[in-house]
mmCIF file of all heavy atoms in Angstrom:
data_model
loop_
_atom_site.group_PDB
_atom_site.id
_atom_site.type_symbol
_atom_site.label_atom_id
_atom_site.label_comp_id
_atom_site.label_asym_id
_atom_site.label_seq_id
_atom_site.Cartn_x
_atom_site.Cartn_y
_atom_site.Cartn_z
ATOM 1 N N ARG A 1278 5.728 4.689 24.352
ATOM 2 C CA ARG A 1278 6.190 4.480 23.011
ATOM 3 C C ARG A 1278 6.511 3.065 22.629
ATOM 4 O O ARG A 1278 7.216 2.785 21.702
ATOM 5 C CB ARG A 1278 7.333 5.436 22.544
ATOM 6 C CG ARG A 1278 6.968 6.896 22.596
ATOM 7 C CD ARG A 1278 8.087 7.724 21.900
ATOM 8 N NE ARG A 1278 8.306 7.343 20.480
ATOM 9 C CZ ARG A 1278 7.516 7.746 19.439
ATOM 10 N NH1 ARG A 1278 6.413 8.526 19.638
ATOM 11 N NH2 ARG A 1278 7.755 7.402 18.206
ATOM 12 N N ARG A 1279 6.034 2.084 23.417
ATOM 13 C CA ARG A 1279 6.192 0.671 23.021
ATOM 14 C C ARG A 1279 5.039 0.342 22.024
ATOM 15 O O ARG A 1279 3.966 0.738 22.227
ATOM 16 C CB ARG A 1279 6.108 -0.146 24.266
ATOM 17 C CG ARG A 1279 7.097 0.153 25.318
ATOM 18 C CD ARG A 1279 7.021 -0.826 26.558
ATOM 19 N NE ARG A 1279 7.949 -0.321 27.616
ATOM 20 C CZ ARG A 1279 9.255 -0.532 27.667
ATOM 21 N NH1 ARG A 1279 9.784 -1.446 26.755
ATOM 22 N NH2 ARG A 1279 9.958 -0.163 28.730
ATOM 23 N N VAL A 1280 5.470 -0.425 21.089
ATOM 24 C CA VAL A 1280 4.552 -0.800 20.009
ATOM 25 C C VAL A 1280 3.696 -1.938 20.475
ATOM 26 O O VAL A 1280 4.157 -2.975 20.818
ATOM 27 C CB VAL A 1280 5.333 -1.223 18.697
ATOM 28 C CG1 VAL A 1280 4.236 -1.569 17.641
ATOM 29 C CG2 VAL A 1280 6.236 -0.174 18.245
ATOM 30 N N VAL A 1281 2.412 -1.628 20.594
ATOM 31 C CA VAL A 1281 1.409 -2.593 21.108
ATOM 32 C C VAL A 1281 0.444 -3.189 20.065
ATOM 33 O O VAL A 1281 -0.424 -4.067 20.323
ATOM 34 C CB VAL A 1281 0.637 -2.052 22.332
ATOM 35 C CG1 VAL A 1281 1.549 -1.783 23.444
ATOM 36 C CG2 VAL A 1281 -0.102 -0.804 21.871
ATOM 37 N N GLY A 1282 0.489 -2.577 18.817
ATOM 38 C CA GLY A 1282 -0.412 -3.005 17.775
ATOM 39 C C GLY A 1282 -0.081 -2.289 16.500
ATOM 40 O O GLY A 1282 0.826 -1.468 16.411
ATOM 41 N N ILE A 1283 -0.799 -2.641 15.452
ATOM 42 C CA ILE A 1283 -0.558 -1.995 14.148
ATOM 43 C C ILE A 1283 -1.904 -1.948 13.395
ATOM 44 O O ILE A 1283 -2.768 -2.864 13.585
ATOM 45 C CB ILE A 1283 0.438 -2.690 13.295
ATOM 46 C CG1 ILE A 1283 0.952 -1.780 12.214
ATOM 47 C CG2 ILE A 1283 0.001 -4.058 12.773
ATOM 48 C CD1 ILE A 1283 2.295 -2.044 11.640
ATOM 49 N N VAL A 1284 -2.186 -0.898 12.644
ATOM 50 C CA VAL A 1284 -3.426 -0.786 11.961
ATOM 51 C C VAL A 1284 -3.157 -0.345 10.487
ATOM 52 O O VAL A 1284 -2.236 0.550 10.206
ATOM 53 C CB VAL A 1284 -4.294 0.349 12.590
ATOM 54 C CG1 VAL A 1284 -5.466 0.724 11.642
ATOM 55 C CG2 VAL A 1284 -4.874 -0.199 13.915
ATOM 56 N N SER A 1285 -3.817 -0.950 9.482
ATOM 57 C CA SER A 1285 -3.617 -0.580 8.153
ATOM 58 C C SER A 1285 -4.814 0.214 7.636
ATOM 59 O O SER A 1285 -5.906 0.217 8.231
ATOM 60 C CB SER A 1285 -3.426 -1.857 7.232
ATOM 61 O OG SER A 1285 -4.660 -2.493 7.234
ATOM 62 N N ASP A 1286 -4.683 0.824 6.530
ATOM 63 C CA ASP A 1286 -5.823 1.511 5.910
ATOM 64 C C ASP A 1286 -6.979 0.619 5.581
ATOM 65 O O ASP A 1286 -8.147 0.980 5.629
ATOM 66 C CB ASP A 1286 -5.423 2.332 4.667
ATOM 67 C CG ASP A 1286 -4.731 1.489 3.592
ATOM 68 O OD1 ASP A 1286 -4.385 0.352 3.844
ATOM 69 O OD2 ASP A 1286 -4.405 2.011 2.495
ATOM 70 N N GLU A 1287 -6.564 -0.710 5.241
ATOM 71 C CA GLU A 1287 -7.651 -1.606 5.003
ATOM 72 C C GLU A 1287 -8.503 -1.930 6.238
ATOM 73 O O GLU A 1287 -9.757 -2.048 6.154
ATOM 74 C CB GLU A 1287 -7.016 -2.960 4.504
ATOM 75 C CG GLU A 1287 -7.946 -4.083 4.109
ATOM 76 C CD GLU A 1287 -7.473 -5.182 3.428
ATOM 77 O OE1 GLU A 1287 -6.192 -5.302 3.427
ATOM 78 O OE2 GLU A 1287 -8.184 -6.055 2.935
ATOM 79 N N ASP A 1288 -7.754 -1.994 7.457
ATOM 80 C CA ASP A 1288 -8.510 -2.192 8.660
ATOM 81 C C ASP A 1288 -9.450 -0.995 8.862
ATOM 82 O O ASP A 1288 -10.622 -1.156 9.424
ATOM 83 C CB ASP A 1288 -7.532 -2.205 9.872
ATOM 84 C CG ASP A 1288 -6.580 -3.368 9.770
ATOM 85 O OD1 ASP A 1288 -7.009 -4.470 9.289
ATOM 86 O OD2 ASP A 1288 -5.495 -3.238 10.236
ATOM 87 N N VAL A 1289 -8.972 0.161 8.653
ATOM 88 C CA VAL A 1289 -9.784 1.451 8.861
ATOM 89 C C VAL A 1289 -11.035 1.402 8.059
ATOM 90 O O VAL A 1289 -12.113 1.628 8.458
ATOM 91 C CB VAL A 1289 -8.966 2.691 8.634
ATOM 92 C CG1 VAL A 1289 -9.776 3.947 8.732
ATOM 93 C CG2 VAL A 1289 -7.865 2.756 9.603
ATOM 94 N N VAL A 1290 -10.887 1.199 6.726
ATOM 95 C CA VAL A 1290 -12.044 1.263 5.885
ATOM 96 C C VAL A 1290 -12.987 0.101 6.104
ATOM 97 O O VAL A 1290 -14.210 0.333 6.035
ATOM 98 C CB VAL A 1290 -11.539 1.239 4.287
ATOM 99 C CG1 VAL A 1290 -12.673 1.056 3.385
ATOM 100 C CG2 VAL A 1290 -10.669 2.480 3.992
ATOM 101 N N ARG A 1291 -12.499 -1.051 6.303
ATOM 102 C CA ARG A 1291 -13.391 -2.176 6.586
ATOM 103 C C ARG A 1291 -14.195 -1.957 7.831
ATOM 104 O O ARG A 1291 -15.405 -2.106 7.879
ATOM 105 C CB ARG A 1291 -12.558 -3.432 6.768
ATOM 106 C CG ARG A 1291 -13.460 -4.660 7.044
ATOM 107 C CD ARG A 1291 -12.625 -5.949 7.179
ATOM 108 N NE ARG A 1291 -11.668 -5.962 8.240
ATOM 109 C CZ ARG A 1291 -10.347 -5.830 8.090
ATOM 110 N NH1 ARG A 1291 -9.885 -5.824 6.878
ATOM 111 N NH2 ARG A 1291 -9.497 -5.806 9.094
ATOM 112 N N THR A 1292 -13.553 -1.445 8.919
ATOM 113 C CA THR A 1292 -14.289 -1.125 10.145
ATOM 114 C C THR A 1292 -15.269 -0.032 10.010
ATOM 115 O O THR A 1292 -16.319 -0.077 10.543
ATOM 116 C CB THR A 1292 -13.217 -0.821 11.316
ATOM 117 O OG1 THR A 1292 -12.251 -1.904 11.370
ATOM 118 C CG2 THR A 1292 -13.969 -0.688 12.662
ATOM 119 N N ALA A 1293 -14.848 0.989 9.240
ATOM 120 C CA ALA A 1293 -15.788 2.160 9.051
ATOM 121 C C ALA A 1293 -17.007 1.744 8.263
ATOM 122 O O ALA A 1293 -18.030 2.087 8.643
ATOM 123 C CB ALA A 1293 -15.051 3.234 8.280
ATOM 124 N N ALA A 1294 -16.774 0.849 7.286
ATOM 125 C CA ALA A 1294 -17.951 0.436 6.508
ATOM 126 C C ALA A 1294 -18.842 -0.441 7.389
ATOM 127 O O ALA A 1294 -20.077 -0.386 7.273
ATOM 128 C CB ALA A 1294 -17.416 -0.417 5.308
ATOM 129 N N MET A 1295 -18.287 -1.241 8.315
ATOM 130 C CA MET A 1295 -19.144 -2.066 9.150
ATOM 131 C C MET A 1295 -19.942 -1.245 10.154
ATOM 132 O O MET A 1295 -21.009 -1.584 10.498
ATOM 133 C CB MET A 1295 -18.252 -2.995 9.988
ATOM 134 C CG MET A 1295 -17.683 -4.156 9.124
ATOM 135 S SD MET A 1295 -16.409 -5.072 10.059
ATOM 136 C CE MET A 1295 -17.380 -5.573 11.569
#
Side-chain angles (χ1 to χ4, degrees):
R1278 292 192 61 80
R1279 299 181 190 277
V1280 182
V1281 295
I1283 196 158
V1284 167
S1285 70
D1286 54 353
E1287 185 171 10
D1288 298 325
V1289 173
V1290 174
R1291 181 178 61 249
T1292 307
M1295 288 171 53

